[in-house]
Coordinates of all heavy atoms in Angstrom, one line a residue:
D71 N 97.4 77.2 105.4 CA 96.4 77.0 106.4 C 95.4 78.1 106.4 O 95.8 79.3 106.1 CB 97.1 76.9 107.8 CG 96.2 76.5 108.9 OD1 95.2 75.8 108.6 OD2 96.5 76.9 110.0
H72 N 94.2 77.8 106.6 CA 93.1 78.8 106.6 C 92.0 78.3 107.5 O 91.7 77.1 107.6 CB 92.6 79.1 105.2 CG 91.7 80.3 105.1 ND1 90.4 80.3 105.4 CD2 92.0 81.5 104.7 CE1 89.9 81.5 105.2 NE2 90.9 82.3 104.8
N73 N 91.2 79.2 108.1 CA 90.1 78.8 109.0 C 89.0 78.0 108.2 O 88.3 77.2 108.8 CB 89.5 80.0 109.6 CG 90.3 80.5 110.8 OD1 91.1 79.8 111.4 ND2 90.0 81.8 111.2
Q74 N 88.9 78.2 106.9 CA 87.9 77.4 106.2 C 88.3 76.0 106.1 O 87.4 75.2 105.7 CB 87.8 78.0 104.7 CG 87.1 79.3 104.7 CD 86.9 79.8 103.3 OE1 87.9 80.0 102.6 NE2 85.6 80.1 102.9
F75 N 89.5 75.6 106.4 CA 89.9 74.2 106.4 C 89.9 73.6 107.8 O 90.2 72.4 108.0 CB 91.3 74.0 105.9 CG 91.5 74.4 104.4 CD1 92.4 75.4 104.1 CD2 90.7 73.8 103.4 CE1 92.5 75.7 102.7 CE2 90.9 74.1 102.1 CZ 91.8 75.1 101.8
S76 N 89.5 74.4 108.8 CA 89.6 74.0 110.2 C 88.4 73.1 110.6 O 87.2 73.5 110.5 CB 89.6 75.2 111.2 OG 89.4 74.8 112.5
L77 N 88.7 71.9 111.1 CA 87.6 71.0 111.5 C 86.9 71.6 112.8 O 85.7 71.3 113.0 CB 88.1 69.6 111.8 CG 88.6 68.8 110.6 CD1 89.2 67.5 111.0 CD2 87.5 68.7 109.6
V78 N 87.7 72.3 113.6 CA 87.1 73.0 114.8 C 86.0 74.0 114.3 O 84.9 74.0 114.9 CB 88.2 73.7 115.6 CG1 87.6 74.5 116.7 CG2 89.2 72.6 116.1
N79 N 86.3 74.7 113.3 CA 85.3 75.7 112.8 C 84.2 75.1 112.0 O 83.1 75.5 112.1 CB 86.1 76.8 112.0 CG 87.0 77.6 112.8 OD1 86.9 77.7 114.0 ND2 88.0 78.2 112.2
T80 N 84.6 74.2 111.1 CA 83.6 73.7 110.1 C 82.8 72.5 110.5 O 81.7 72.2 110.1 CB 84.2 73.4 108.8 OG1 85.2 72.3 108.9 CG2 85.0 74.6 108.2
R81 N 83.4 71.7 111.4 CA 82.8 70.4 111.9 C 82.8 69.3 110.8 O 82.2 68.3 111.0 CB 81.5 70.6 112.5 CG 81.4 71.6 113.7 CD 81.8 70.8 114.9 NE 81.5 71.6 116.1 CZ 82.4 72.0 116.9 NH1 83.7 71.8 116.6 NH2 82.1 72.7 118.0
H82 N 83.3 69.6 109.6 CA 83.3 68.5 108.6 C 84.4 68.8 107.6 O 84.9 69.9 107.4 CB 82.0 68.4 107.9 CG 81.6 69.6 107.1 ND1 80.9 70.7 107.7 CD2 81.8 70.0 105.8 CE1 80.7 71.6 106.8 NE2 81.2 71.2 105.7
L83 N 84.8 67.7 106.9 CA 85.8 67.9 105.8 C 85.5 66.8 104.8 O 85.4 65.6 105.2 CB 87.2 67.7 106.4 CG 88.4 67.6 105.3 CD1 88.5 69.0 104.6 CD2 89.7 67.2 106.0
I84 N 85.4 67.1 103.6 CA 85.2 66.2 102.5 C 86.3 66.4 101.5 O 86.5 67.5 101.0 CB 83.8 66.3 101.8 CG1 82.7 66.1 102.8 CG2 83.7 65.4 100.6 CD1 81.3 66.5 102.3
V85 N 87.0 65.3 101.2 CA 88.1 65.4 100.2 C 87.7 64.4 99.1 O 87.5 63.2 99.4 CB 89.5 65.0 100.8 CG1 90.5 65.0 99.7 CG2 89.8 66.0 101.9
S86 N 87.7 64.8 97.9 CA 87.3 63.9 96.8 C 88.5 64.0 95.7 O 89.0 65.1 95.4 CB 86.0 64.4 96.1 OG 85.7 63.6 95.0
T87 N 88.8 62.9 95.1 CA 89.8 62.8 94.1 C 89.6 61.7 93.2 O 88.9 60.7 93.5 CB 91.2 62.7 94.8 OG1 92.2 62.8 93.8 CG2 91.3 61.4 95.5
W88 N 90.1 61.8 92.0 CA 90.2 60.7 91.0 C 91.7 60.3 91.0 O 92.5 61.2 91.0 CB 89.9 61.2 89.6 CG 88.4 61.4 89.4 CD1 87.7 62.5 89.8 CD2 87.5 60.6 88.6 NE1 86.4 62.3 89.4 CE2 86.3 61.2 88.6 CE3 87.7 59.4 87.9 CZ2 85.2 60.7 88.0 CZ3 86.6 58.9 87.2 CH2 85.4 59.5 87.3
F89 N 91.9 59.0 91.1 CA 93.3 58.6 91.0 C 93.4 57.3 90.2 O 92.4 56.6 90.1 CB 94.0 58.5 92.3 CG 93.5 57.4 93.2 CD1 94.1 56.1 93.2 CD2 92.4 57.5 94.0 CE1 93.7 55.1 94.0 CE2 91.9 56.5 94.8 CZ 92.5 55.3 94.7
S90 N 94.5 57.1 89.6 CA 94.8 55.9 88.8 C 96.2 55.4 89.2 O 97.1 55.8 88.6 CB 94.6 56.2 87.3 OG 94.9 55.0 86.6
P91 N 96.3 54.4 90.1 CA 97.6 54.0 90.5 C 98.2 53.1 89.3 O 97.5 52.4 88.6 CB 97.3 53.1 91.7 CG 95.9 52.7 91.6 CD 95.2 53.8 90.9
S92 N 99.6 53.3 89.2 CA 100.2 52.5 88.2 C 100.4 51.0 88.6 O 100.5 50.1 87.7 CB 101.6 53.1 87.9 OG 102.4 53.1 89.1
A93 N 100.3 50.8 89.9 CA 100.3 49.4 90.4 C 99.4 49.3 91.6 O 99.4 50.2 92.4 CB 101.7 49.0 90.8
L94 N 98.6 48.3 91.6 CA 97.7 48.1 92.7 C 97.8 46.6 93.2 O 97.5 45.7 92.5 CB 96.2 48.4 92.3 CG 95.1 48.3 93.3 CD1 95.4 49.4 94.4 CD2 93.8 48.6 92.7
V95 N 98.1 46.5 94.4 CA 98.3 45.2 95.0 C 97.1 44.9 96.0 O 96.9 45.7 96.9 CB 99.6 45.0 95.8 CG1 99.8 43.7 96.4 CG2 100.8 45.3 94.9
M96 N 96.4 43.9 95.7 CA 95.2 43.6 96.5 C 95.6 42.3 97.4 O 96.1 41.4 96.9 CB 94.0 43.3 95.7 CG 93.6 44.4 94.8 SD 93.0 45.8 95.7 CE 91.4 45.2 96.3
S97 N 95.3 42.4 98.6 CA 95.5 41.3 99.5 C 94.3 40.3 99.5 O 93.2 40.7 99.4 CB 95.7 41.8 101.0 OG 95.7 40.7 101.8
T98 N 94.6 39.0 99.5 CA 93.6 38.0 99.5 C 93.1 37.7 100.9 O 92.2 37.0 101.2 CB 94.0 36.7 98.8 OG1 95.2 36.2 99.4 CG2 94.3 37.0 97.3
N99 N 93.9 38.2 101.9 CA 93.5 38.0 103.3 C 92.2 38.8 103.6 O 92.0 39.9 103.2 CB 94.6 38.5 104.2 CG 95.9 37.7 104.1 OD1 95.8 36.6 103.7 ND2 97.0 38.4 104.3
R100 N 91.4 38.2 104.4 CA 90.1 38.9 104.9 C 90.2 39.1 106.4 O 90.5 38.1 107.1 CB 88.9 38.0 104.5 CG 88.8 38.0 103.0 CD 87.5 37.3 102.7 NE 87.4 37.2 101.2 CZ 86.4 37.0 100.5 NH1 85.2 36.9 101.2 NH2 86.4 36.9 99.2

Side-chain angles (χ1 to χ4, degrees):
D71 190 24
H72 192 277
N73 283 341
Q74 287 183 303
F75 297 121
S76 170
L77 293 177
V78 172
N79 293 340
T80 64
R81 301 276 193 247
H82 64 273
L83 174 67
I84 299 170
V85 177
S86 176
T87 184
W88 284 74
F89 70 95
S90 178
S92 58
L94 184 61
V95 178
M96 300 295 287
S97 173
T98 57
N99 296 330
R100 294 185 182 202

